[in-house]
Amino acid sequence: MSNEVAIIGIGCRPFGRFSDTTARAEAAHAVRQALCDAGVGWPQIDYAVGGSLSGGSADTLVTELGLTGVPFINVLNGCATGSSSLLSAVHAIASGAAELAVVVGFDAHPRGAFSISTAHMGLGDWYGSTGLAVTAQFFALKIQRYLYEHELPASLLTTVAAKAFHNGSLNPNAWRRKALSPGDIDTSPMLVDPLRQYMLCSPGDGATALVLCNAKAAKEYRSDPVFVSGVAVRTRTPGSFEVLSPSLSIRRGDSPTVDAARAVFEYAGIGPGEIGIAQLQDTDAGAEIIHMAETGLCEHGAQAALIDSGATGLGGALPINTDGGCLANGEPIGASGLRQIHENVLQLRGAAGARQVAHSPRVALSHVYGAPGSSGCTVLTR
């Protein structure tokens, strides 16, 4: 898979909660942005794929984009929808079934916690009545246990959140554009111990799109293509303890994030030590900490040294969630994974503006995690 496919166009609409537009309209706009960025037109696209949980069916965007007869596949894989959509397009191009592809993700969610059907997740009605169907409860339990097991201080949650809001303040597409101090975060209401208000992301609205082509033709479209060196999606295996899992096995197993990261590094032919910038799923501040180790960017328990040294900031050796992540952008489920790809492409191009990282990265990782336990990882190179 390594470097067979290139990203030649990107488009991202401001995230937030829309009042004067719709997620569907913003998705069409994001696709047009990406097409313009690539210098191609919709009639040239011979494969399209996209996903949304509640914003509508992606394939119906042809009403706005043009009735060209293009094969358009709908994907829904929780918060891993973006990576799963990208995987489909990459396979189509790498197999020779398509030359130019569009990937789009969008969504719109109301205020409050995500509403789910336990039956649709393969769980009994009893699971909802315990309160664990509110995913923040699970994330709080998971990070509380993780901090204890690896002797990490809870203050890391504050540092991660403050970094996210600082980065978001430099991102014109971010929902939360106000930098917050550690004091602001530590005095915000405790929602589910140890997670405070500003340590959890909010459901929201947003849209992102990409244009992909065969890598051999990439330079025909632009001088600075970014290559998809690997993309992998994995689901949970025995012993993993994931959101919406009804029990914890006595015998511990790896998270699907561990499996997806191993697979993507094998596909890309690189090791985690070569990653220069990363976007990690940060549904809560604790998730970023856990995923740093699960993706292989550091050992379990080593996060404190990295974070406290400033390594994960914009000026550090391993910047993480440079656009503010889910904490600053919110999480429109269909769009979040592609927002990460959009950010990594900008950073690899050297076009991220005020939040451009201090060094010049050549390899970028993105990681998403979705209920009830699926993860997607993508490696991009320039």
Side-chain angles (χ1 to χ4, degrees):
M1 184 185 299
S2 182
N3 293 348
E4 294 181 46
V5 178
I7 298 173
I8 55 171
I10 55 174
C12 186
R13 300 297 294 155
F15 280 33
R17 188 160 286 126
F18 303 147
S19 59
D20 57 352
T21 185
T22 65
R24 179 191 176 90
E26 293 302 292
H29 197 152
V31 171
R32 293 188 185 105
Q33 274 188 324
L35 292 169
C36 181
D37 190 46
V40 301
W42 176 248
Q44 294 172 257
I45 302 301
D46 53 6
Y47 186 85
V49 58
S52 174
L53 175 67
S54 55
S57 296
D59 69 302
T60 63
L61 292 174
V62 298
T63 302
E64 287 84 5
L65 297 171
L67 303 179
T68 63
V70 63
F72 203 134
I73 311 301
N74 291 314
V75 172
L76 180 60
N77 207 10
C79 300
T81 294
S83 283
S84 301
S85 299
L86 178 63
L87 181 70
S88 175
V90 166
H91 284 173
I93 292 175
S95 70
E99 289 294 326
L100 282 169
V102 158
V103 183
V104 60
F106 60 102
D107 244 313
H109 307 300
R111 293 174 61 88
F114 286 109
S115 176
I116 65 167
S117 165
T118 52
H120 290 171
M121 295 291 181
L123 300 167
D125 292 340
W126 64 267
Y127 192 82
S129 64
T130 66
L132 285 175
V134 178
T135 53
Q137 300 268 34
F138 171 86
F139 293 130
L141 289 171
K142 189 168 186 176
I143 188 57
Q144 201 168 60
R145 176 178 182 154
Y146 189 88
L147 294 175
Y148 172 78
E149 286 185 335
H150 298 285
E151 301 182 342
L152 293 169
S155 61
L156 289 182
L157 299 170
T158 303
T159 306
V160 166
K163 172 178 64 68
F165 289 107
H166 168 74
N167 294 352
S169 73
L170 303 175
N171 178 9
N173 285 329
W175 183 4
R176 314 297 189 189
R177 297 288 315 279
K178 180 182 178 182
L180 297 178
S181 70
D184 293 330
I185 293 162
D186 282 340
T187 55
S188 66
M190 179 69 76
L191 298 185
V192 276
D193 191 23
L195 299 174
R196 296 183 176 272
Q197 178 182 356
Y198 297 136
M199 296 174 182
L200 287 155
C201 79
S202 300
D205 309 343
T208 309
L210 312 172
V211 176
L212 281 63
C213 76
N214 188 292
K216 294 178 181 178
K219 290 293 181 73
E220 297 175 14
Y221 298 100
R222 63 181 311 124
S223 61
D224 58 349
V226 169
F227 300 97
V228 182
S229 293
V231 57
V233 175
R234 294 291 186 272
T235 54
R236 62 197 187 280
T237 53
S240 66
F241 185 45
E242 310 303 331
V243 60
L244 304 181
S245 294
S247 62
L248 176 60
S249 173
I250 295 174
R251 183 175 298 173
R252 301 285 289 275
D254 285 336
S255 159
T257 292
V258 174
D259 294 331
R262 285 174 180 160
V264 83
F265 289 134
E266 181 178 350
Y267 290 148
I270 66 168
E274 297 176 65
I275 298 298
I277 182 172
Q279 316 299 327
L280 306 179
Q281 181 86 16
D282 61 333
T283 316
D284 63 279
E288 178 175 321
I289 294 169
I290 294 171
H291 293 145
M292 287 172 64
E294 288 187 341
T295 56
L297 299 180
C298 70
E299 296 294 328
H300 290 286
Q303 293 96 326
L306 272 175
I307 293 169
D308 290 342
S309 73
T312 59
L314 295 179
L318 182 59
I320 293 176
N321 289 333
T322 52
D323 67 351
C326 288
L327 293 182
N329 287 276
E331 185 166 30
I333 282 178
S336 277
L338 298 184
R339 171 191 55 76
Q340 292 183 340
I341 302 294
H342 176 272
E343 175 66 9
N344 276 342
V345 170
L346 284 178
Q347 292 285 350
L348 292 176
R349 288 181 182 177
R355 66 185 186 282
Q356 181 66 45
V357 299
H359 63 291
S360 182
R362 299 191 63 84
V363 186
L365 172 72
S366 69
H367 157 266
V368 288
Y369 171 88
S374 60
S375 288
C377 289
T378 306
V379 169
L380 303 181
T381 57
R382 64 176 175 89

